[in-house]
Amino acid sequence: MHRITSHINLVFYLFIVTALLPIYLNGSPVPNMDDVDSVRVKELLVMDTVDLKIHGPDNNITFYMNGMVFLSNTKYHQNMIPDHITFGVIKTYFVPLEYIALENSRPLFINDDFPYSPAGMSFTRDYRTVYFTKKVRISGRRNVEKIFEMSIINGEGSRHKQLSFTGDPSRYMHPAISLDDSYMIFSSDRTPSNGGLDLFIARKTEAGWSIPVNMGQSINTSGHEWYPYLDHSNNLYFSSSGHMGLGGYDVYVCFFNGSGWGEPQNLTDYINTSNDELGFSIHPNKKMAVYSTSPEPESTPGEIYKMSLNNKAFLLSGIDDIRNQDLSLLLRDLVKTGFTSAVFAAGIETLEEIGFDMNVMPLLATEEEVEPDEPEPKPAAVIPVIVPIVPEAEPKPEPEPEPVLEVAASEPVIEEPVPEPEPDSDKVIFRVQILSSSKTNRNPSVTIAGTRYSTFEYFYKGAYRITVGEFATVQDASSFRTKCRTAGYNQAFVAAFRNNERETDPSVFKR
């Protein structure tokens, strides 16, 4: 197993033991981890790649009881002669945490292949119900993601039932059920929307599911927010391409305060990179987390990462406070002292700012039930007008892509997005990175939304990076990044430069 752990040197151990020994001898309590900086918090964690070669449509993974579940092709789980040809089918498999290997895996359900992405699944705490993302065909025209539920009885799956609030033509995916099963957070492009896929929340009552409510602009952006996950304290984790981070999709957390969630906080560069980090979840025992990465184009395949408590570090440091045996609480300490949402956290006040208050949710209002047992949902009428964004408006067709400038093919327009840079050698500018390659750039210009832009290339971490545009503010660069993604550059993200050199200080992204 390739191990990419934070190295703990002997000097660090001696320092902690020396500092804490007098306290223990005097019977005083262990210092609260709130006072420990992010470097020391990292020493209490271990990061590994999960040594599991997955032969499925993605490398997503999630926890189930005392193991993990993943998608794989059945032909890799059958005993047959090497020359035998079979195409197999995609099925969900379970592997125990103690013996993570393909040969130790088994089908999750005997009676159902259940070929749905694990990152789009959410199990109730008693493992009697699973909510999952499944595509259905609408009017024979296209497949759209919907959320279903299924009861688990004696290790077997029951019939699939589509949730009542998903009957319109919008996309509904990646459900996350709360600890007490009283509400669900999911990703959708239903209205009202900030653009892309937003996070919504719905209550589960005796009368059924309530009307979903958008979780607001402090959490949702013009990009995508998806793969939500709620831990045992109902802290909300999700991946976003719209908040300013380290590039691509980063994992963010909104801490729960009993009545709502705070503003999104970046899970620091200990987890996030310039690649996409997706499907973060924590095991119910509070001591382990998993997530997957999808790298930039032309890179190596993605990895699955496992983060766990470093028991050796706890033993040597003398920290035995039960609070510090909770991974989610350690992550809170890590976030509070480190990189958060492109700024350095200023203290606990920053983490407690309300991003969404549950008091704004309807308590009893429910939408009309769709018929059970996975019938083909009835599409809503498509009205070719702009409908005002109001709660529970008539279902609308999928949002139109962002308007772009139409330019005749015979008359290309060459336009630079900003004026000539000021002669300030210390000025920070922002560019949108669209590609990376092992070879130098052979395309000095690209056309985006009908307009041709010159490219700027720089060499960073062993590869040539190609950027477009030059902007004075993060907001302008973020707006242009959206156009780049619409034009097909799905991994586009904003990067900062000073004197044409990549600026890695996250404070420059402060809004």
Side-chain angles (χ1 to χ4, degrees):
M1 178 182 295
H2 174 57
R3 195 172 184 84
I4 52 172
T5 175
S6 299
H7 296 289
I8 307 171
N9 59 55
L10 183 59
V11 175
F12 169 75
Y13 294 146
L14 292 175
F15 173 79
I16 292 183
V17 172
T18 303
L20 296 179
L21 185 58
I23 298 176
Y24 276 93
L25 293 177
N26 293 330
S28 301
V30 178
N32 192 300
M33 285 298 294
D34 290 345
D35 301 324
V36 182
D37 62 34
S38 61
V39 174
R40 296 187 190 177
V41 175
K42 289 180 181 179
E43 298 293 352
L44 301 177
L45 302 172
V46 175
M47 188 81 78
D48 292 329
T49 55
V50 175
D51 190 14
L52 181 66
K53 186 174 179 59
I54 294 179
H55 303 278
D58 58 43
N59 65 337
N60 292 328
I61 198 165
T62 194
F63 292 111
Y64 178 77
M65 292 190 173
N66 64 337
M68 300 177 180
V69 293
F70 60 96
L71 290 180
S72 185
N73 192 300
T74 56
K75 69 179 181 180
Y76 296 98
H77 300 259
Q78 299 170 358
N79 294 322
M80 60 183 65
I81 60 175
D83 295 333
H84 184 73
I85 298 176
T86 179
F87 294 101
V89 297
I90 299 300
K91 180 180 291 190
T92 296
Y93 284 85
F94 169 90
V95 63
L97 294 177
E98 293 82 0
Y99 308 101
I100 301 178
L102 203 63
E103 58 269 23
N104 295 323
S105 62
R106 60 169 175 78
L108 180 61
F109 302 121
I110 299 174
N111 64 326
D112 192 335
D113 289 344
F114 213 67
Y116 313 112
S117 176
M121 295 180 192
S122 182
F123 298 91
T124 55
R125 292 306 187 265
D126 59 8
Y127 297 103
R128 294 182 179 179
T129 304
V130 58
Y131 298 93
F132 58 98
T133 306
K134 174 181 176 180
K135 288 186 178 181
V136 300
R137 184 169 294 277
I138 295 182
S139 297
R141 294 182 293 115
R142 60 191 178 94
N143 293 327
V144 177
E145 298 93 341
K146 302 294 181 182
I147 298 174
F148 286 75
E149 68 173 310
M150 183 182 76
S151 297
I152 303 173
I153 304 172
N154 296 326
E156 295 187 354
S158 63
R159 306 178 77 175
H160 302 178
K161 179 182 178 182
Q162 185 178 339
L163 297 194
S164 59
F165 57 77
T166 68
D168 64 278
S170 302
R171 303 171 69 189
Y172 294 85
M173 53 205 301
H174 307 161
I177 192 70
S178 63
L179 182 68
D180 60 359
D181 303 342
S182 65
Y183 58 87
M184 174 186 291
I185 296 176
F186 58 91
S187 186
S188 176
D189 60 0
R190 65 175 283 154
T191 56
S193 171
N194 293 289
L197 291 164
D198 282 2
L199 295 185
F200 287 78
I201 183 171
R203 290 185 188 272
K204 187 178 183 181
T205 70
E206 292 183 359
W209 289 99
S210 72
I211 297 171
V213 174
N214 189 293
M215 296 192 73
Q217 294 183 358
S218 63
I219 292 177
N220 294 314
T221 68
S222 59
H224 290 319
E225 281 71 43
W226 54 5
Y227 296 109
Y229 167 76
L230 292 163
D231 68 12
H232 64 281
S233 298
N234 286 327
N235 297 315
L236 170 63
Y237 299 81
F238 63 95
S239 295
S240 173
S241 63
H243 293 282
M244 299 312 304
L246 300 177
Y249 286 88
D250 279 6
V251 179
Y252 294 82
V253 59
C254 298
F255 294 108
F256 187 68
N257 65 4
S259 62
W261 289 269
E263 294 187 355
Q265 309 292 323
N266 191 289
L267 270 191
T268 82
D269 58 3
Y270 184 74
I271 292 175
N272 293 315
T273 67
S274 60
N275 298 330
D276 292 339
E277 282 72 40
L278 306 170
F280 181 92
S281 64
I282 300 176
H283 192 274
N285 70 6
K286 312 174 188 178
K287 301 179 185 298
M288 183 184 300
V290 292
Y291 65 96
S292 61
T293 65
S294 296
E296 296 178 356
E298 302 180 350
S299 299
T300 56
E303 296 277 6
I304 302 170
Y305 287 95
K306 177 181 67 174
M307 180 170 56
S308 55
L309 300 181
N310 188 342
N311 293 325
K312 184 177 181 181
F314 280 104
L315 178 65
L316 292 177
S317 66
I319 298 175
D320 61 357
D321 186 349
I322 190 64
R323 178 182 184 278
N324 301 309
Q325 298 296 320
D326 186 332
L327 183 60
S328 64
L329 292 178
L330 280 177
L331 290 176
R332 183 184 179 94
D333 292 325
L334 182 68
V335 167
K336 191 170 62 175
T337 56
F339 175 71
T340 59
S341 299
V343 298
F344 284 97
I348 193 66
E349 295 81 7
T350 303
L351 302 186
E352 297 301 335
E353 292 178 358
I354 293 295
F356 180 80
D357 191 340
M358 292 183 68
N359 292 327
V360 305
M361 294 174 58
L363 293 175
L364 299 175
T366 59
E367 295 182 321
E368 184 178 354
E369 292 277 346
V370 297
E371 294 187 15
D373 219 13
E374 49 183 297
E376 194 167 290
K378 300 177 181 180
V382 178
I383 305 174
V385 295
I386 297 177
V387 180
I389 298 178
V390 295
E392 294 315 298
E394 282 290 321
K396 293 168 48 181
E398 284 198 282
E400 294 293 329
E402 182 178 353
V404 296
L405 177 65
E406 297 291 340
V407 181
S410 58
E411 299 179 2
V413 177
I414 300 179
E415 178 184 324
E416 294 298 329
V418 294
E420 289 292 324
E422 299 177 9
D424 183 358
S425 60
D426 197 46
K427 181 181 179 181
V428 175
I429 62 172
F430 301 93
R431 298 184 170 107
V432 177
Q433 182 168 313
I434 59 173
L435 294 171
S436 65
S437 175
S438 59
K439 298 180 180 179
T440 188
N441 183 20
R442 297 178 182 177
N443 297 311
S445 66
V446 295
T447 299
I448 296 174
T451 302
R452 185 173 298 167
Y453 297 91
S454 299
T455 61
F456 171 80
E457 180 184 75
Y458 70 103
F459 190 78
Y460 182 67
K461 290 187 176 181
Y464 295 94
R465 319 289 173 157
I466 301 167
T467 67
V468 182
E470 188 172 303
F471 302 88
T473 67
V474 174
Q475 291 80 3
D476 290 340
S478 297
S479 177
F480 185 65
R481 177 199 59 187
T482 301
K483 290 186 177 182
C484 292
R485 290 188 173 181
T486 302
Y489 298 101
N490 297 328
Q491 301 294 325
F493 66 91
V494 177
F497 294 83
R498 197 191 305 269
N499 295 326
N500 286 335
E501 296 290 334
R502 176 77 176 268
E503 175 60 70
T504 58
D505 181 358
S507 64
V508 302
F509 288 94
K510 186 174 183 179
R511 296 180 184 274

